[in-house]
Amino acid sequence: IVLRLAASRTMTSPDPSSIVPNTNFSDSAAEIATQGNPKLAPYLSTNLDFGGEWYTGKEGYVALDLFGKRITGFTVNGVNLIPFTQLGIPFASLTGTQQQAINLRGGPNSAQVQVQQQVNADGTLFIKGGELSWVQPLDFVFKGLGLQTNYTVVSQKSIGSGVPAQAIGISPHTYSATAYWECHGASM
């Protein structure tokens, strides 16, 4: 039996493409834009991991890992309504259709644009979960045959005011099962 404990503090830079100070309009009326945010700060994570492995003989084992993360400054999509003049784009660089649409909305000094950009969330994101793994050789069935399985459960919660922090693309439950064969220097 092997037990592991790890504690760490990490810093992660935001996606470089989110920092580039560019502005793109997604419509011909220049009402909706996406903009890079060069003021994005890195986010910090305090991590705690505890795990144990029980080796059942040869390469077989059962492992359980528990983890928790507290993340501050997490980046999320933010949407703001701002005057066109604060975008930093010359009015003359717009297409004729966009200029006409802005003039119909009161001109460059009055026209509002809905801007979507990455921002640092005000809240704290808590992620916790566990992972169970089992590797079992099945030599009694066929020499070199084995099975590897994994199940992970993850939950997340955001605490704080302002834009809520949320990790996108994290499934609350994931699992896998893989059969393998390793014998005479070959693997499948």
Side-chain angles (χ1 to χ4, degrees):
I1 295 177
V2 176
L3 298 176
R4 290 185 169 80
L5 176 65
S8 64
R9 184 139 166 98
T10 58
M11 181 177 72
T12 304
S13 295
D15 182 353
S17 64
S18 298
I19 298 173
V20 177
N22 61 348
T23 303
N24 295 310
F25 290 101
S26 59
D27 64 333
S28 59
E31 288 182 296
I32 301 171
T34 57
Q35 191 173 52
N37 185 355
K39 296 178 183 176
L40 278 177
Y43 51 92
L44 302 172
S45 174
T46 303
N47 314 295
L48 184 62
D49 298 275
F50 177 73
E53 299 167 356
W54 172 41
Y55 290 89
T56 60
K58 294 188 180 180
E59 63 268 4
Y61 69 91
V62 177
L64 176 64
D65 294 300
L66 304 173
F67 57 87
K69 300 177 183 308
R70 185 181 72 211
I71 305 170
T72 57
F74 198 75
T75 55
V76 294
N77 275 333
V79 178
N80 292 310
L81 196 60
I82 62 173
F84 173 80
T85 54
Q86 290 183 10
L87 292 177
I89 300 170
F91 183 70
S93 69
L94 299 178
T95 66
T97 305
Q98 290 172 330
Q99 288 179 3
Q100 183 180 11
I102 287 177
N103 284 330
L104 288 173
R105 294 196 319 265
N109 294 326
S110 300
Q112 298 285 310
V113 178
Q114 183 179 339
V115 178
Q116 177 180 327
Q117 67 181 180
Q118 289 285 304
V119 295
N120 292 103
D122 297 328
T124 300
L125 178 62
F126 292 94
I127 298 177
K128 64 181 179 177
E131 179 178 46
L132 180 63
S133 300
W134 178 30
V135 176
Q136 181 63 53
L138 301 172
D139 287 331
F140 60 89
V141 176
F142 189 80
K143 183 168 174 53
L145 185 64
L147 181 66
Q148 179 177 342
T149 61
N150 176 285
Y151 173 72
T152 305
V153 61
V154 176
S155 68
Q156 59 178 309
K157 180 170 75 168
S158 179
I159 296 176
S161 61
V163 179
Q166 181 181 9
I168 308 276
I170 294 181
S171 175
H173 303 276
T174 55
Y175 53 88
S176 66
T178 305
Y180 65 87
W181 176 79
E182 292 180 343
C183 197
H184 308 296
S187 297
M188 289 191 342

